[in-house]
Amino acid sequence: MSRKNIFVVGLDEGNLPELQAIPNAAEYEFHGLLTSEELQVGEVSVPHLLEKAYGILDAFEGSIDAIVTYWDFPASTLVPILGERYGTRHTSLESIVKCEHKYWSRLEQQKVIDEHPRFGMVDLSAEHPEPPDGVRFPMWLKPALSYSSELAYGVQDEKEFQEAVANIRQGISRVGRPFEYIMEQLELPPEMAGVGGQVCLAEEAIAGIQVAVEGYVLNGEVTVYGTLDSINYPDSSSFLRHQYPSTLPPDVVQRLRTASERVMRQIGMEAATFSIEFFYDPHTDRINLLEINPRHSQSHAQIFHYVEGVPNHHIMVALALGEDPRLTYGTGPYSMGAKWYYRWFTDAVVKDVPSDGDIERIEQEIPGVRIDMVPEPGKRLSDSPQQDSYSCELAHIFTGADSVEEMTEKYDRCVAALNHHFEGTPPPEDGTGR
């Protein structure tokens, strides 16, 4: 029996083992289609990416049984375009863009839920841009589309607002211009006429515990299969860890599920996964939707593997092949899992990073951990892709354990071990690095 060929847009070394760990993986052949660097580094050209993908797929001599991705734009929007051409199962391009375009997404959300902050567009073309009517400080400014909080700024007053606008103006075209190419493929509703992809959104700041809800839509039915807590560094908007399962009260988790189901039915997604980020404020008992991602989170694959015995990649692949996407819960070796972000809150030039052998030794000494280094030797931390506006990632550390205390101890041991092998040079005071 021949194996089914699954093309993964942006397939990377970190996720291949997790894909190979899903049920029935022996029956599948995974093929990389475009690299994560081609998709995310530098200027993005959607026509060029499509042309290269067409060349690879047209030259392939076997069957093309599925085309999938676990990345955001542009990978997320390439999947439905390629699916139309090669007859693979996919959700509509419009449903993807309704999630990716932060302003359009807010318009859809407010039709079916109240659990979202006040928002509006900022006119970047104005000589002196102003906050939208009714949106108060503190607020967040962000492009309609960005990678991993790139060009997203929390602002407390008018001065910070103008500084953030200047930064967004300077950098918005890198992703906004190719996003407009995608939007041109759609018949937009009247409320989106003339909005485009290079717009800036302002949203009132929301507070509380950040939570991620993962699910999928099949035959119009929305299924939520997991809820995770996202814990930030103290006094920071940067993630410290994602933790599964959520420790929130069951009634709050059910409210998150209900809001997710309403929104995803409105979006019109089908045969695809999603991940929605919320905030829950225990002081006011209010939930607020932060953003919708039109794909499951590859960051959570190892976490689900630790706890449920199956990476969440299983659901993506099953939906694409028309197979049963359901999880069998609680068959993993641990009751809790987390992805930690080891960060520096200053820039630095990386002199040396732990070798593969160093990493392997640490993982063997500490059971239930996996370490992925982010920077490359000789490069500045801030030059690594997908950094946020306030910190630099050094490593992603995955831990499986049976308590938060045990997970924290494993993380601390990993950081201590990494610091024996890692060497960085902080920049001089002028920030030039020269």
Side-chain angles (χ1 to χ4, degrees), residues 308-373:
E308 310 300 357
V310 178
N312 57 358
H313 291 330
H314 154 67
I315 298 170
M316 170 189 71
V317 172
L319 289 169
L321 292 173
E323 298 173 352
D324 187 353
R326 287 177 291 182
L327 284 177
T328 301
Y329 290 95
T331 60
Y334 301 102
S335 60
M336 303 186 75
K339 176 183 179 179
W340 301 76
Y341 294 82
Y342 177 34
R343 302 176 185 270
W344 279 3
F345 287 81
T346 184
D347 203 354
V349 175
V350 179
K351 284 187 176 180
D352 194 19
V353 299
S355 68
D356 291 344
D358 296 329
I359 298 296
E360 187 176 343
R361 280 191 293 274
I362 296 170
E363 293 174 343
Q364 289 175 347
E365 291 170 2
I366 311 172
V369 305
R370 195 189 93 198
I371 301 170
D372 293 339
M373 296 302 300

Side-chain angles (χ1 to χ4, degrees), residues 23-42:
N24 305 319
E27 301 173 9
Y28 310 142
E29 186 74 38
F30 295 103
H31 306 270
L33 183 62
L34 306 174
T35 67
S36 55
E37 289 76 16
E38 288 174 311
L39 292 162
Q40 297 176 339
V41 177

Side-chain angles (χ1 to χ4, degrees), residues 407-423:
M407 287 198 305
T408 303
E409 183 205 8
K410 289 184 177 183
Y411 170 72
D412 289 341
R413 288 175 63 190
C414 287
V415 169
L418 289 175
N419 285 343
H420 284 299
H421 302 282
F422 181 84
E423 189 176 1

Side-chain angles (χ1 to χ4, degrees), residues 41-319:
V41 177
E43 294 296 323
V44 177
S45 169
V46 175
H48 175 74
L49 292 172
L50 284 171
E51 182 181 355
K52 184 164 186 177
Y54 293 154
I56 294 169
L57 294 170
D58 288 346
F60 186 70
E61 296 182 353
S63 62
I64 299 172
D65 300 294
I67 302 172
V68 297
T69 194
Y70 37 74
W71 296 110
D72 290 321
F73 180 85
S76 58
T77 56
L78 298 181
V79 168
I81 295 173
L82 296 171
E84 284 293 313
R85 181 177 175 116
Y86 296 98
T88 55
R89 205 160 181 243
H90 62 277
T91 190
S92 68
L93 179 61
E94 180 176 303
S95 70
I96 295 289
V97 178
K98 280 183 180 179
C99 298
E100 294 273 27
H101 195 293
K102 289 181 171 60
Y103 180 69
W104 194 359
S105 184
R106 288 295 190 205
L107 295 181
E108 293 299 309
Q109 293 165 33
Q110 71 178 2
K111 294 176 183 178
V112 290
I113 64 170
D114 297 322
E115 294 92 342
H116 59 79
R118 282 186 282 262
F119 68 95
M121 281 196 298
V122 176
D123 184 2
L124 294 179
S125 65
E127 183 176 346
H128 187 77
E130 297 181 352
D133 291 340
V135 181
R136 301 167 298 189
F137 293 109
M139 66 181 69
W140 278 86
L141 296 189
K142 57 189 75 171
L145 179 72
S146 65
Y147 295 143
S148 300
S149 300
E150 181 181 315
L151 295 180
Y153 297 95
V155 299
Q156 302 291 325
D157 52 34
E158 178 67 22
K159 178 177 181 293
E160 292 184 358
F161 177 90
Q162 295 301 332
E163 291 172 351
V165 165
N167 289 334
I168 292 171
R169 273 175 168 165
Q170 185 174 4
I172 195 171
S173 65
R174 185 177 82 85
V175 178
R177 189 179 298 118
F179 193 35
E180 288 186 337
Y181 172 87
I182 291 292
M183 295 183 69
E184 290 168 1
Q185 315 305 310
L186 302 174
E187 186 174 335
L188 299 174
E191 62 263 36
M192 286 296 293
V195 173
Q198 298 189 64
V199 297
C200 177
L201 184 69
E203 301 177 339
E204 285 191 6
I206 49 182
I209 301 165
Q210 194 164 346
V211 195
V213 173
E214 289 214 3
Y216 63 89
V217 187
L218 181 61
N219 299 324
E221 291 296 317
V222 181
T223 298
V224 171
Y225 60 80
T227 307
L228 306 90
D229 296 334
S230 297
I231 294 95
N232 289 347
Y233 279 81
D235 302 317
S236 169
S237 61
S238 299
F239 287 133
L240 171 61
R241 71 179 184 267
H242 304 305
Q243 175 178 301
Y244 177 73
S246 173
T247 58
L248 290 177
D251 65 306
V252 176
V253 173
Q254 183 55 50
R255 287 161 56 197
L256 294 167
R257 287 173 175 261
T258 300
S260 300
E261 290 165 0
R262 289 176 178 168
V263 167
M264 296 317 296
R265 280 195 291 268
Q266 176 66 26
I267 294 291
M269 184 173 276
E270 174 56 39
T273 58
F274 64 84
S275 177
I276 306 180
E277 296 176 39
F278 288 91
F279 275 94
Y280 169 66
D281 189 338
H283 301 294
T284 63
D285 195 37
R286 178 171 173 78
I287 64 174
N288 269 298
L289 193 155
L290 178 62
E291 66 181 20
I292 306 172
N293 301 303
R295 43 83 189 154
H296 71 291
S297 176
Q298 56 87 18
S299 291
H300 302 158
Q302 179 71 62
I303 303 174
F304 277 93
H305 199 175
Y306 279 144
V307 179
E308 310 300 357
V310 178
N312 57 358
H313 291 330
H314 154 67
I315 298 170
M316 170 189 71
V317 172
L319 289 169

